[in-house]
Amino acid sequence: MPLKNEILNRWLGRVDAPSEPQPLLAEPAPVSADWHMQLDEEGRVNSISKPLRRALGISAALVPPQRLLGYLMPSSAMVVEGAPQDWLGHMLDLDFKRSNGHVLHTRGWVQAQGESWLLQLLDIGDLMEEANAAQSRQQCLRLAGQIAEKVRGCHVERLQAVTADQLEELAQQYRVPCLALALAEPGGAGWRIYAHYNAHTAPQLWQDGQRLGTDLDSLNGTVTHQIDFSAPSHLVHLQSAFGNAEGFLLPHHKEGSVKAWLLFGFYDAAQQVPELGDREWMNLCSALAGPILYRHADQAHRHQLERLAVLQDLLGTGWWELLPDTDEVQLAPQLARTLGFPETSDVLPLATWLQLIHPADRHELESRLALLRGHGTAMLACVRLLQTDSTQASVWLRIQGQVLVSGQTRRVLGFMLDVSDIKNQETEAAAAHARLDNLIASSPAVIYVLEYDQGSLEPSFFSASLTPLLGWSQAECADGLLTQYIHPDDRDIWFQRTRQLLREGVVSCRYRLRDKKGEYHWLLDEARLLRDDLGMPVEAVGLWLDVTEATQATERVRESEERYRILVEDSPAMICRYTPDLILNFGNRPLADYLDCTPAQLPGINLGEWFSAEQKEAFVRRIDELTPEAPMSTAEICLELPGREHAWWIWADRGVFDDSGKLIEIQAVGRDNTEIRRTRMQLNQSAKMATLGEMATGLAHEINQPLNVMRMAVVNVLKRLSNGDVEVDYLTEKLNRIDAQVQRAARVVNHMRVFGRRSEIEQQLFDPIDAVDGTLNMLSEGMRGKGVELKIGEPGARVQVRGHVDQLEQVLINLMVNARDALLAKREKNRDFEPWIALHVEQDEQSVWLIVEDNGGGIDPRLLERIFEPFFTTKPVGVGTGLGLSVSYGIVEQMGGRLSVSNSSEGACFRIALPVVRE
Ligand code: ADP
């Protein structure tokens, strides 16, 4: 080829270093070509050289004398207009028709040769090809430029569509049936078709978004350009990319690795565009893929920045950077805003920045910053902001910083984050934790954690209160050791507890655990099993509470209750509890026996059923008088039990009151007093009879006196009758006197009979004056007969006392008979002695006193205390019984009163005090 150019240039006068411009074809160059034709003046072909004939595929025999135009392509017709004369000095580019239909490109010139013209020709087919190729490459470059420009310039949202357009452009330009651009998946996991073009006539090889897997990666590095797909190995690898189709693919490298592939399907580039080389194809690929990747990276970067900005905005925080060589710091706009700097000034002096920090933390931050700057030590500090308002909660900032080195540059930057929430929560949690720790440490409780391991629970933690409480250390309670400390009697409970905890997730039990000193503690153990999200046990958390004291106290109470229960049940006394309306809540066996039922039948029975109306009234009245201050009351009560005579019980009640002082229940203990009562009544009766016996002399006198009066009257009447001096008035007067005396005697006898009777069961209300009158009726005559003066006081207002009138009479008789005996004994010694007995009544609102006084000299003071004892007497045997005063004392006491004695100046003075019953 260089040779050919040289020939042409030389012929045309284009020498490499021409000395001076030469006129066009000044003289024919002494060159000749293999191909030539002989033409006549008219331009008709006379002969064709043999090589040219061969090149055109014409046989020698067939050369007809015809015009040159007949051998040429129509495009060359312009070149050979006119005659050869006209063509002289011109370079003629002539395209010949070849017999096989192809074109033979030639360049030539004419020379005169005598009459005819010699047309010399050179084959310039290869020169033409080269020029075409160059043009094609230029066009390719232009196309690449256009593509890059379009992709760079379009709106990012249209990027994919524009890419598809460019692929179409490319495909149409080079007649590619299927064309696609594959980009690497984010994270490097394979490839995905980003955009594609498919000619209508070609089968669809790819579609947008299609995944190509990692097959293409295996080509990375081994493939730099076109691939021979006839090699079976590549076909296998790339079947997913091409099916079984023929094609090739181009990689686009960036930063040392393939980032995109341009895929050509059903395409043989060498055949379709032979003039384009690898470089051109790679150029095209880069022109498309490069800008797309750039724009993607750009967009990702922008998104990243936006995300960062949003993040910083949301957190009210951001980055900071120390500017090199100045003492200045630059803050992210959001951070500057949060810290209260105007938005325009995101660069500020370091000192100003530090001024924001609380003085307590400032020094630490400064020193850490210095370390960061000087030594590159990564920085992490939690600092508080300086606040003007001390009432507000502290604002905590976490400041992190590090040195970033890239090449020669060294940057110091970091991040500031508001961690007030966390920090304040941390502070609160720490305080709560400390409080809890304190509480646990000072309480008799141990908190423990058991770790779950394949069905067994092993201690992994005990609170610090373990050692003060039990003496054991954590280690001494680990791995099975604990079981040894459990009381042997409680081991079953211990093993049962673990099983229940695993099965039911919660357990509460008590057992004894030995402490280090060997003493057992009662522990209340409450534990709960914690499970993970899948329901698998993870650990158990529990609490030991030392309940030794409480347990022992409960045990003591239980034992004591048991003792009392036995005591109550086995007691011979009747014990019961009843409500203020007399309904029994409980009664023991002795009570049930009395009431002819079983203890179980007692609750619900009304005690009032066994009382007479008076008894019930008196009982209720007594219960009503109970108060929290005086909750006790004792009485002898009389009951009418079924199938029995009267029963007499000594009954002690104790009221139980609620907080407001209201009586809610009565506890009572009773003892059967019937026998004693009966004996006492008999005793009373005997004493009464004895009194009557003693009174016999006095009584005889009482009867004698009316008899004497009657006898005198009868004697006087008889004397008058014998004289015959009988007047009716006289007779009537005498008979009336006799009648009065008969009535008087009858009264005495009647009273004696009544007095001699047994007393009534029930007490009655009566006026004590009645007893005084009854006594005097029986005694006064006898006393006077013995020369004893009776001094009877004036009766006061009527009052009422409760008891038996005959019994009070008995008391008065006893006192007066005792006084009479003392008086008569004294008169025996002194004949001039004038004995008297005074009986009078005194009274006030609450009480009435009956006072019996004599002038018999009184009682020896040494005997004063003994005279009320039964059988105490100073009288001779057979005279005194020693029962009078003792029985009298009992009677007065039964009436709720009191009998007392004292010595006056002249004799003894007995006082009966009785409570007055108000209506
Ligand atoms: P008795 O009369 O059978 O001896 P009492 O119990 O009635 O039994 O009296 C006890 C004693 O008290 C009497 O023996 C007597 O010594 C003394 N006594 C009782 N009343 C008087 C009195 N008025 N003056 C002096 N002594 C009295």
Side-chain angles (χ1 to χ4, degrees), residues 574-624:
M574 295 170 282
I575 297 175
C576 67
R577 300 199 327 261
Y578 60 91
T579 53
D581 50 5
L582 309 189
I583 307 287
L584 279 174
N585 288 332
F586 161 83
N588 67 351
R589 177 158 295 282
L591 182 68
D593 288 345
Y594 273 103
L595 300 183
D596 243 4
C597 62
T598 65
Q601 290 171 316
L602 284 176
I605 287 181
N606 191 334
L607 278 180
E609 287 176 24
W610 318 114
F611 292 130
S612 67
E614 290 90 357
Q615 277 285 332
K616 185 171 174 183
E617 190 203 327
F619 193 92
V620 170
R621 195 170 51 242
R622 205 170 47 79
I623 295 301
D624 281 349

Side-chain angles (χ1 to χ4, degrees), residues 702-775:
E702 292 289 331
I703 306 293
N704 258 346
Q705 187 62 20
L707 287 179
N708 280 337
V709 173
M710 282 191 284
R711 192 165 154 265
M712 285 297 293
V714 169
V715 167
N716 286 340
V717 169
L718 286 175
K719 206 183 266 173
R720 283 283 181 106
L721 277 176
S722 61
N723 291 346
D725 180 18
V726 181
E727 289 171 24
V728 176
D729 289 350
Y730 177 80
L731 214 56
T732 311
E733 194 255 345
K734 288 297 172 195
L735 284 174
N736 278 341
R737 179 176 292 186
I738 290 167
D739 184 44
Q741 292 306 315
V742 168
Q743 280 182 26
R744 184 182 162 191
R747 219 170 33 240
V748 170
V749 171
N750 213 25
H751 193 82
M752 270 172 58
R753 212 177 60 231
V754 171
F755 179 76
R757 269 199 219 133
R758 283 171 175 272
S759 299
E760 290 288 325
I761 295 292
E762 299 284 351
Q763 292 188 326
Q764 269 110 30
L765 291 178
F766 65 94
D767 189 337
I769 296 299
D770 294 343
V772 173
D773 284 348
T775 307

